[in-house]
Amino acid sequence: MQDKKITINDVAKLAGVSKRTVSRVINRSPLVGENTLKKVEKIIKEVNFSPDKQARGLASSRSYLLGLIYDHDDSLSIVQVQQGALSVCAQLGYELVVHPCKSKETDFIEECINSINRSKLDGVIILPPISENKQLAAALRAANCPYVRIASVDFDDKLNIVVSDERTAMKEMAEHFVDLGHKNIAFISGPLSYRSSIERMEGFLFELRSANIEIAESHILEGENSYESGMKCAMELLTKETRPTAILANNDEMATGVIRVASDLGIKIPEELSVAGFDDNIYASRIIPSLTTIKRPIENMAALASQKLINKVQSEHSAPIKLCGEVKPHLIIRESTTKKST
Amino acid sequence: MQDKKITINDVAKLAGVSKRTVSRVINRSPLVGENTLKKVEKIIKEVNFSPDKQARGLASSRSYLLGLIYDHDDSLSIVQVQQGALSVCAQLGYELVVHPCKSKETDFIEECINSINRSKLDGVIILPPISENKQLAAALRAANCPYVRIASVDFDDKLNIVVSDERTAMKEMAEHFVDLGHKNIAFISGPLSYRSSIERMEGFLFELRSANIEIAESHILEGENSYESGMKCAMELLTKETRPTAILANNDEMATGVIRVASDLGIKIPEELSVAGFDDNIYASRIIPSLTTIKRPIENMAALASQKLINKVQSEHSAPIKLCGEVKPHLIIRESTTKKST
DNA sequence: TTGAAAGCGCTAACAA
DNA sequence: TTGTTAGCGCTTTCAA
């Protein structure tokens, strides 16, 4: 901790160049002679110099802070997301600031923007479902705050969004249901105001139709993506005269609610009822029966989003950014689904 | 967003005072005349001025950034913790930076300290179990970085720690087991290198002894707090000749593992086996059967920790800090425990 | 109780 | 390709 007081001036002196040159080296400016570059870099290493973020920020009006905006109700996978984002941030000298917000309150956008301004965040990553919020995106643009949205559909400039193809993933799920011989299928959608809900639903229904299976309208319920909502919808579905033999829920939370209700009603899963979800949240593999679901590679998506964001933020400066993995969701088959009983 | 450029100079001019005076107002210095104070505060409100954190930080070598240090393996309740901390941070103008770390890697402490220095964090909150790490605390002290630890025992200066009385909570649990008539009880502890594991175990065993119940040594297993570890221990316990009628695990994760194994072995919970955990994590109420457990008010603890930390950071400056609620853990009885079958 | 001036450590014009 | 000179917006000596 001794070396904390080393400043750009010290480096400049030691290297026998000007401050400005050191600054150029730090910022990877191309306008530095090979020799000077080497000399300066050597000194920097030797004295273990790292530039002061605040000073840098004050001078260049950047903060090296990235924000993570998400709805605080819907934060189950937030840990993985943070991990993914951090893996990139740490590498590139950015810090991650968390900002859960309450999308139900009317002034949440204003509140977000204020907070961003106060901390001068260089940019933000927005998680679903508020990543779909148009007003938020517009406000961000107005405030001149770069953002990257994580979403399931391509509703923004390529540079502003990381998408996972949930529609196709849902087809896999539908195939799985078909393979198992289910015909009397029910679906609990997410709120239809979300594009992702529509995507998932359409992907599922479309593929089912290709297999000549049509879900009765009464077997499609609009849920709210919560456990409680899953229970409510399940109760409705499972007390019908002709009960479905398989239920797909828009997410694992709701699927968990379905399993709960089925259990309470004495309906055996998967023997009498197949249930599946979406997300592969932490508990999907641990509940009993373990849940067939679709894994969303949310950690990778967050990493990718960070990369995109930092690229934008650094625009002119060149930054060597490693690209990271796949963002394709895929089916995971577990205990909660099985062949339709005959 | 218009008002972004307003600086302390503008305010000073408008109020007809010097920069320095405005600064005093901002920092709640007592050396300001009543009238001046009012005048300046009025202007500040009018023009919606808020001081620039970076400039402030650069000048005063503070960052208004607090760090949250936790082991990235053990991050299930991290969301609540963040919430609690943020509720306080936001109020007092601090931002929260997340820092998961890998306590298993040898240089994790160095890595932490580096990261703290780089971002000039004003202080950090350390979550269990690494809150118990002595070397980490020592390194923090050496680096002159204020910290507050969240823990289950009082092993540091009052100002540096927020404790929840887990020992007493465990007594409640023991009473519950006794009330249910269990005598053949097993316990899966956490790693015994953790003080919290010891606390919980001793609290439990002690109270049991008061009721003249002694757990056989073979019925006390040391787990690792993970789901998998819970399964492993459960397998051992449930395949013994005389199987326990009740199992308490050191946390919900392990309890979930126990439930899984019992289910696989065809042992009915709670009829044939009572199971309980500790933490009341997100899923404790949702698994089947729902889990009897002890709720740790982790959100409140985090809020309290933030308050303590900010108090330390601001030492001389007076800061109006609302105190927040209880940090007493308590028993929650759900489906997974019941009377010993006769 | 207040103010003037000198930085905090860096980047950004503008020259050279 | 490099250096000089100003600041960024605030806090902090030190005087008044």
Side-chain angles (χ1 to χ4, degrees):
Chain A
M1 313 301 92
Q2 297 287 34
D3 38 22
K4 272 212 59 185
K5 331 168 167 181
I6 288 179
T7 75
I8 197 172
N9 290 304
D10 305 323
V11 177
K13 240 171 260 166
L14 287 168
V17 299
S18 82
K19 226 167 137 171
R20 178 69 250 237
T21 302
V22 179
S23 169
R24 286 203 181 91
V25 172
I26 296 169
N27 294 292
R28 295 201 178 75
S29 157
L31 319 149
V32 184
E34 280 238 11
N35 289 335
T36 356
L37 180 66
K38 273 185 190 149
K39 200 167 47 182
V40 175
E41 281 186 329
K42 183 159 159 270
I43 301 284
I44 290 183
K45 275 231 173 80
E46 269 179 31
V47 299
N48 190 20
F49 165 73
S50 84
D52 183 296
K53 273 184 193 158
Q54 296 179 286
R56 224 138 93 97
L58 181 56
S60 63
S61 52
R62 287 199 274 161
S63 65
Y64 297 89
L65 254 33
L66 260 34
L68 190 62
I69 297 187
Y70 54 95
D71 198 302
H72 92 309
D73 285 336
D74 190 65
S75 44
L76 238 192
S77 52
I78 201 69
V79 179
Q80 288 122 285
V81 169
Q82 284 175 5
Q83 218 77 47
L86 279 170
S87 67
V88 173
C89 288
Q91 248 181 80
L92 298 167
Y94 284 77
E95 226 61 48
L96 192 67
V97 159
V98 288
H99 191 88
C101 58
K102 300 176 182 171
S103 63
K104 275 156 203 152
E105 294 177 12
T106 49
D107 59 345
F108 97 95
I109 291 182
E110 196 189 347
E111 194 271 321
C112 267
I113 302 286
N114 275 340
S115 160
I116 290 169
N117 282 337
R118 259 189 292 109
S119 308
K120 300 215 263 171
L121 302 186
D122 286 346
V124 295
I125 296 169
I126 321 173
L127 303 189
I130 47 174
S131 58
E132 293 188 7
N133 190 306
K134 279 177 196 159
Q135 290 96 312
L136 177 58
L140 252 17
R141 257 175 266 127
N144 217 349
C145 173
Y147 65 83
V148 172
R149 307 156 101 165
I150 292 187
S152 52
V153 204
D154 221 334
F155 46 60
D156 199 335
D157 188 300
K158 285 263 182 230
L159 290 170
N160 293 335
I161 200 164
V162 171
V163 299
S164 63
D165 186 358
E166 303 188 342
R167 182 179 283 260
T168 303
M170 271 307 217
K171 288 191 182 171
E172 276 186 65
M173 182 65 88
E175 276 170 24
H176 177 57
F177 274 45
V178 170
D179 288 350
L180 294 177
H182 292 285
K183 303 228 148 57
N184 185 1
I185 299 171
F187 180 64
I188 304 176
S189 79
L192 295 177
S193 51
Y194 294 151
R195 285 295 310 266
S196 77
S197 302
I198 305 280
E199 279 303 290
R200 294 181 189 182
M201 178 163 78
E202 287 185 358
F204 187 61
L205 297 185
F206 182 87
E207 185 66 19
L208 246 32
R209 253 178 233 128
S210 313
N212 282 318
I213 295 173
E214 191 75 37
I215 300 193
E217 214 164 284
S218 61
H219 277 190
I220 301 183
L221 262 46
E222 180 176 357
E224 294 166 11
N225 280 344
S226 68
Y227 175 74
E228 290 74 21
S229 160
M231 288 184 56
K232 185 159 160 279
C233 294
M235 190 55 89
E236 184 173 340
L237 289 169
L238 295 176
T239 51
K240 281 188 195 301
E241 338 67 70
T242 54
R243 173 175 104 195
T245 64
I247 299 182
L248 173 61
N250 189 64
N251 70 0
D252 291 348
E253 294 266 311
M254 291 202 293
T256 306
V258 172
I259 290 180
R260 174 85 229 184
V261 167
S263 160
D264 289 351
L265 294 176
I267 299 172
K268 288 208 168 53
I269 300 176
E271 296 81 359
E272 301 175 58
L273 176 71
S274 285
V275 176
F278 198 111
D279 281 348
D280 193 31
N281 73 19
I282 320 179
Y283 267 76
S285 58
R286 301 194 180 172
I287 56 177
I288 303 175
S290 60
L291 193 62
T292 292
T293 189
I294 286 175
K295 182 180 181 64
R296 232 178 358 152
I298 192 78
E299 189 166 341
N300 279 341
M301 293 180 79
L304 229 180
S306 308
Q307 294 180 342
K308 282 196 172 187
L309 188 55
I310 294 177
N311 264 337
K312 278 168 77 168
V313 170
Q314 302 195 321
S315 43
E316 67 266 32
H317 313 270
S318 66
I321 291 189
K322 275 196 297 184
L323 278 173
C324 59
E326 274 294 295
V327 297
K328 250 192 169 18
H330 64 272
L331 180 67
I332 296 182
I333 299 174
R334 297 208 182 91
E335 298 167 349
S336 67
T337 48
T338 193
K339 287 223 161 89
K340 192 205 146 197
S341 59
T342 44
Chain B
M1 316 300 86
Q2 297 287 34
D3 37 23
K4 271 210 59 183
K5 330 168 169 182
I6 288 180
T7 77
I8 197 173
N9 289 304
D10 304 323
V11 177
K13 240 170 259 166
L14 287 168
V17 298
S18 81
K19 225 167 139 173
R20 175 70 250 238
T21 302
V22 178
S23 170
R24 287 205 181 88
V25 172
I26 295 171
N27 293 291
R28 294 198 179 77
S29 159
L31 318 149
V32 185
E34 280 239 12
N35 287 336
T36 353
L37 180 66
K38 274 187 191 148
K39 199 165 52 180
V40 174
E41 281 187 329
K42 182 158 162 272
I43 301 285
I44 290 184
K45 274 229 175 83
E46 270 180 31
V47 299
N48 189 23
F49 166 72
S50 83
D52 183 295
K53 273 183 194 155
Q54 295 179 286
R56 223 138 94 100
L58 181 57
S60 64
S61 52
R62 289 200 274 159
S63 66
Y64 298 88
L65 254 33
L66 260 34
L68 190 64
I69 298 187
Y70 55 93
D71 197 304
H72 93 307
D73 283 337
D74 190 65
S75 41
L76 239 193
S77 52
I78 201 68
V79 179
Q80 288 122 285
V81 169
Q82 285 175 5
Q83 219 79 45
L86 280 170
S87 67
V88 173
C89 288
Q91 248 183 81
L92 298 167
Y94 283 77
E95 225 60 48
L96 192 68
V97 160
V98 289
H99 191 87
C101 60
K102 300 176 182 170
S103 64
K104 274 156 206 152
E105 296 177 10
T106 50
D107 58 345
F108 97 96
I109 291 181
E110 196 189 347
E111 194 270 323
C112 267
I113 303 284
N114 275 340
S115 160
I116 289 169
N117 282 337
R118 258 189 291 108
S119 310
K120 299 216 264 177
L121 302 187
D122 286 346
V124 296
I125 296 170
I126 320 174
L127 303 188
I130 48 174
S131 58
E132 293 189 8
N133 191 306
K134 280 175 197 161
Q135 290 95 313
L136 177 57
L140 253 16
R141 259 176 266 126
N144 217 350
C145 173
Y147 65 82
V148 171
R149 306 156 101 167
I150 292 187
S152 52
V153 203
D154 221 334
F155 47 62
D156 201 335
D157 189 299
K158 286 263 182 230
L159 290 171
N160 292 336
I161 199 163
V162 171
V163 300
S164 63
D165 186 359
E166 303 188 342
R167 182 179 282 262
T168 303
M170 270 308 215
K171 288 190 182 172
E172 276 186 65
M173 182 65 88
E175 276 169 23
H176 176 57
F177 274 46
V178 170
D179 288 350
L180 294 177
H182 293 285
K183 301 225 149 60
N184 185 2
I185 299 171
F187 179 63
I188 304 176
S189 80
L192 295 177
S193 51
Y194 294 151
R195 287 295 311 266
S196 77
S197 302
I198 305 280
E199 279 303 291
R200 294 182 191 182
M201 180 165 75
E202 288 186 359
F204 188 60
L205 296 185
F206 182 87
E207 184 66 18
L208 245 33
R209 254 179 231 128
S210 313
N212 283 317
I213 295 173
E214 191 75 36
I215 300 193
E217 214 165 283
S218 62
H219 277 190
I220 301 183
L221 262 46
E222 180 177 357
E224 295 167 11
N225 281 344
S226 67
Y227 175 75
E228 290 72 20
S229 162
M231 288 185 53
K232 186 160 159 282
C233 295
M235 191 55 89
E236 186 174 338
L237 289 169
L238 295 176
T239 51
K240 282 188 195 300
E241 338 65 69
T242 54
R243 178 174 99 194
T245 64
I247 299 181
L248 173 62
N250 188 63
N251 70 0
D252 291 348
E253 293 266 311
M254 291 202 292
T256 307
V258 173
I259 290 180
R260 175 84 228 185
V261 168
S263 159
D264 289 351
L265 294 176
I267 300 171
K268 287 206 168 54
I269 300 177
E271 296 82 359
E272 302 175 58
L273 177 71
S274 285
V275 176
F278 197 110
D279 281 348
D280 193 32
N281 72 20
I282 320 179
Y283 267 76
S285 58
R286 299 194 182 172
I287 57 177
I288 302 174
S290 59
L291 194 62
T292 292
T293 190
I294 286 176
K295 184 182 180 63
R296 235 185 349 160
I298 192 76
E299 189 165 340
N300 279 340
M301 294 181 77
L304 229 181
S306 308
Q307 293 180 344
K308 282 195 170 187
L309 188 55
I310 293 177
N311 265 336
K312 280 168 73 168
V313 170
Q314 301 196 322
S315 45
E316 67 267 33
H317 313 271
S318 67
I321 291 190
K322 276 196 298 185
L323 277 173
C324 59
E326 274 295 295
V327 298
K328 250 193 169 17
H330 63 271
L331 180 66
I332 296 182
I333 299 174
R334 297 209 181 90
E335 298 168 348
S336 67
T337 49
T338 195
K339 286 224 162 88
K340 192 206 147 197
S341 59
T342 44

